[in-house]
Amino acid sequence: MKSEPSTKELDEAMKFGCHVSIREGYTGAAKHALKINAQAFQYFPKNPRSLSIKEFDQEDAKRCKTFCQEHSLVSVAHTPYPTTLTPPSEKKELVIESVLNDLEIANMCGSIGVVVHFGSRTNEEDPLSSYHLMIDMLNTILEQWNGKCKILLENNAGKPGAMGTTFEELVQVKKLTSFPEKIGFCFDTCHAFSSGLWSGGNNDELWKKAMELGYLQDLEVVHLNNSKYPLSSGKDRHANILKGGYIEKRYFERLFETSYLSEVPYILETPTDSGISHEEEIKMLKQKMGK
């Protein structure tokens, strides 16, 4: 169980970062993150709009890992947009091979995990079938995977009651797989606000519950996003942290003060076309924390 750090330790441990492009390669992505004063970064290991297998530059990936180690950078990968753990039967093999490819790339880059969205409901008449499919997909992938990099299940956006919007679901799916030790979690603040899981005002209650359920112990990364829509709207539209969103600044400050989250990297997936860059957001967040 995670111990509760002091305020000083909390401020020193917190890592803020953002999603970056691999246009200049994996090492180039890491260098860009360092250039904008990020302490963590997320990247797509390949084309974000395709499940095609990528023959990647292994030496570049190894250099990325070394660079991150030398500069105390934390990295995490994100599967391409078409990835789903509840695919139609004709796409199952394609998704399995694609996720294994993502894991291989991320592992060589030294990343802590690969973020995968929680599955979606595929049969309204038999809701449990979607969970069964998801567990089967995870087992099939992970029985072929022996690297250090984990699959990180991300909570879904959606109306309250939609699949993948509660800690109970995430923890139970992990427990029911044959390889729970190879699975961790990613918490998205916009998704949680969209689904009503995290209102900002229920912060202490929520993380106490997360600890009791065993979710918090396996939380590896937080996607730090504001929401363009109100609480429980069911809509997944990201806004900048301190500008133009429905999640109030005080709620983010309360989240940052949650001591059990002090060592979890916060990754921005916020828009950069609204007059504020990720570099500026990271600077503001560090100033808020007195860093």
Side-chain angles (χ1 to χ4, degrees), residues 51 82-96 119-123 129-130 133-134 136-137:
L51 295 176
T83 306
T84 173
L85 291 173
T86 51
S89 56
E90 67 271 16
K91 288 191 176 180
K92 283 181 66 174
E93 285 304 318
L94 184 60
V95 172
I96 290 165
S120 58
R121 195 164 291 148
T122 59
N123 187 337
S129 63
S130 299
L133 173 57
M134 189 175 170
D136 179 65
M137 287 288 291

Side-chain angles (χ1 to χ4, degrees), residues 30-81:
K31 288 181 177 179
H32 176 72
L34 187 68
K35 183 179 179 181
I36 63 173
N37 295 313
Q39 298 144 303
F41 68 96
Q42 178 178 273
Y43 61 96
F44 287 117
K46 58 193 180 205
N47 184 342
R49 303 192 182 281
S50 173
L51 295 176
S52 298
I53 303 305
K54 180 175 181 176
E55 297 294 334
F56 66 101
D57 185 339
Q58 297 190 13
E59 292 307 312
D60 179 35
K62 291 175 184 177
R63 287 194 298 272
C64 175
K65 179 178 180 178
T66 300
F67 184 88
C68 289
Q69 290 172 337
E70 290 173 346
H71 296 278
S72 300
L73 275 171
V74 175
S75 72
V76 60
H78 196 300
T79 55
Y81 297 123

